[in-house]
Amino acid sequence: MTPIADDQDSTGLDEASGSHMNGPTNPRRRRLITAAAGLVSAGALGLPTIARAQSGPKIRIGFWPVASALPFFVAVEKGYFTEAGLDVEVLKFASAQQVMEAMLSGRAEGSSNGTASAVLAIGEIAQPGLFKIFCTNPTNAKYVLDEFIVAKESPIKTLADLKGKKVVAGPGIQNVTLAKVMLERAGAGTMNVTELVIGQHVAAVAAGQVDAAYTLEPTGTVGRLSGTTRTLEVGVVAKYILGDPMAPWHGGAASLTSAFIQKYPVETKKFIAAYARGVELVRNKPNEARPFLKGYTAIEGPLTGEVPMSAYMFSNEFKPSDVAYFQKFYDLFYERGIFEKRVMVEPLLYRA
């Protein structure tokens, strides 16, 4: 039902010409988006899948092809949104910052799980009150999403061994900043990390173009099953950023814009309830849910059964410790000068 489209339409900021194409016009917002995007043009990868109802507002939700977005894929493909009478349009983007830019410019009403939380925070700085987070996908050494991969036959054994090597990370300020800090804290010293579209990580590592990649599932699974790469270490953000390999890293989040929530409170509750059905299937019947990665990520067929699952947490399930770990993650970006001001987590959480 869900086609993968390879064409990319530029619908964001044209940095080469300095012109705007359906993007924000506020200069301060533009600077923040440029910082977040790492000069990557923003735009959908192709035509969306539509779970269409007969009436009501269109709810355009952006995602990028990582495994943690699975509950959203499930809700679309199982027809949960349609059954709720909702008109949901699925927008596939090449990076999380493109999802955020679409929300800022009014081209999307929200994000799926897997959308980088730090990138969403940059959108909040650009436009305070832009969105509310209703579900996160906390991961760690048990619920795996984040990892470093190397070539299968690479002599590299630890992150410290990457000192002076060529390392890439997924596009966007969250991925690059985390990779640099983790390498530093693991003993590799100050490193230069280059952005690379996540779908190219396995090929780049396998071909020897780079020595390692900080990446997200299903990339590690793709490389392992193809026999070309191996995982160096998983759950790295929890370990090196939060200080505990079992700590919940709320690195991705599903959200809705505040404008949509305020204008359509009934549809908001229906959307979250339908989304929750997707989360429930992933939590309780992961083997039934995994096949829905097909068409949305690089995993196909029986290989979907090999992908590790993230955990999921709704905003009303947050305990003080969860808020504290989430805040520690955000504070890193403020301390490193990525955020121009401290972003507080608690006000961003959706409260029905």
Side-chain angles (χ1 to χ4, degrees), residues 110-334:
S111 66
S112 74
N113 277 105
T115 304
S117 299
V119 173
L120 288 174
I122 291 176
E124 169 67 17
I125 295 171
Q127 184 176 310
L130 174 66
F131 64 89
K132 295 294 182 183
I133 291 170
F134 66 87
C135 185
T136 64
N137 44 274
T139 53
N140 51 29
K142 178 180 179 181
Y143 296 100
V144 176
L145 174 66
D146 51 308
E147 59 204 352
F148 276 87
I149 63 170
V150 295
K152 184 178 180 180
E153 304 302 329
S154 171
I156 294 169
K157 302 298 182 184
T158 68
L159 294 190
D161 294 339
L162 291 173
K163 184 175 183 178
K165 304 294 186 180
K166 294 181 180 179
V167 179
V168 295
I173 199 66
Q174 173 168 310
N175 293 307
V176 173
T177 299
L178 288 175
K180 288 181 177 180
V181 174
M182 289 187 291
L183 288 167
E184 178 184 316
R185 293 181 178 178
T190 302
M191 295 278 290
N192 179 42
V193 176
T194 305
E195 293 185 29
L196 183 66
V197 175
I198 197 168
Q200 298 178 17
H201 286 187
V202 168
V205 172
Q209 297 170 344
V210 298
D211 297 292
Y214 165 61
T215 193
L216 304 175
E217 281 293 338
T219 308
T221 299
V222 171
R224 175 173 59 84
L225 295 179
S226 67
T228 57
T229 67
R230 61 179 172 84
T231 300
L232 185 61
E233 189 172 353
V234 302
V236 285
V237 177
K239 179 178 179 179
Y240 296 104
I241 302 298
L242 302 181
D244 180 350
M246 295 308 295
W249 171 45
H250 298 276
S255 68
L256 288 171
T257 62
S258 297
F260 180 84
I261 292 171
Q262 292 166 8
K263 187 174 182 180
Y264 300 105
V266 174
E267 286 80 2
T268 294
K269 291 180 179 180
K270 288 182 178 181
F271 179 87
I272 294 175
Y275 200 106
R277 293 179 66 188
V279 170
E280 181 180 10
L281 190 71
V282 175
R283 283 175 172 174
N284 299 326
K285 299 180 179 179
N287 290 335
E288 183 178 338
R290 279 189 173 97
F292 294 107
L293 290 167
K294 181 180 179 180
Y296 290 91
T297 72
I299 290 288
E300 296 288 336
L303 301 184
T304 58
E306 300 291 332
V307 181
M309 293 287 96
S310 299
Y312 296 92
M313 184 175 294
F314 283 92
S315 54
N316 61 3
E317 298 174 319
F318 267 67
K319 302 181 296 294
S321 60
D322 295 302
V323 175
Y325 275 122
F326 201 158
Q327 190 64 57
K328 185 175 183 179
F329 169 57
Y330 268 7
D331 287 348
L332 170 73
F333 288 83
Y334 176 63

Side-chain angles (χ1 to χ4, degrees), residues 71-134:
F72 178 60
F73 309 153
V74 169
V76 172
E77 296 298 325
K78 295 283 282 185
Y80 296 156
F81 295 127
T82 303
E83 289 175 16
L86 301 173
D87 181 358
V88 174
E89 182 173 332
V90 181
L91 304 178
K92 181 178 180 180
F93 292 92
S95 63
Q97 61 267 15
Q98 294 180 6
V99 178
M100 180 268 290
E101 194 277 335
M103 292 167 63
L104 275 169
S105 63
R107 292 182 290 110
E109 281 67 55
S111 66
S112 74
N113 277 105
T115 304
S117 299
V119 173
L120 288 174
I122 291 176
E124 169 67 17
I125 295 171
Q127 184 176 310
L130 174 66
F131 64 89
K132 295 294 182 183
I133 291 170
F134 66 87

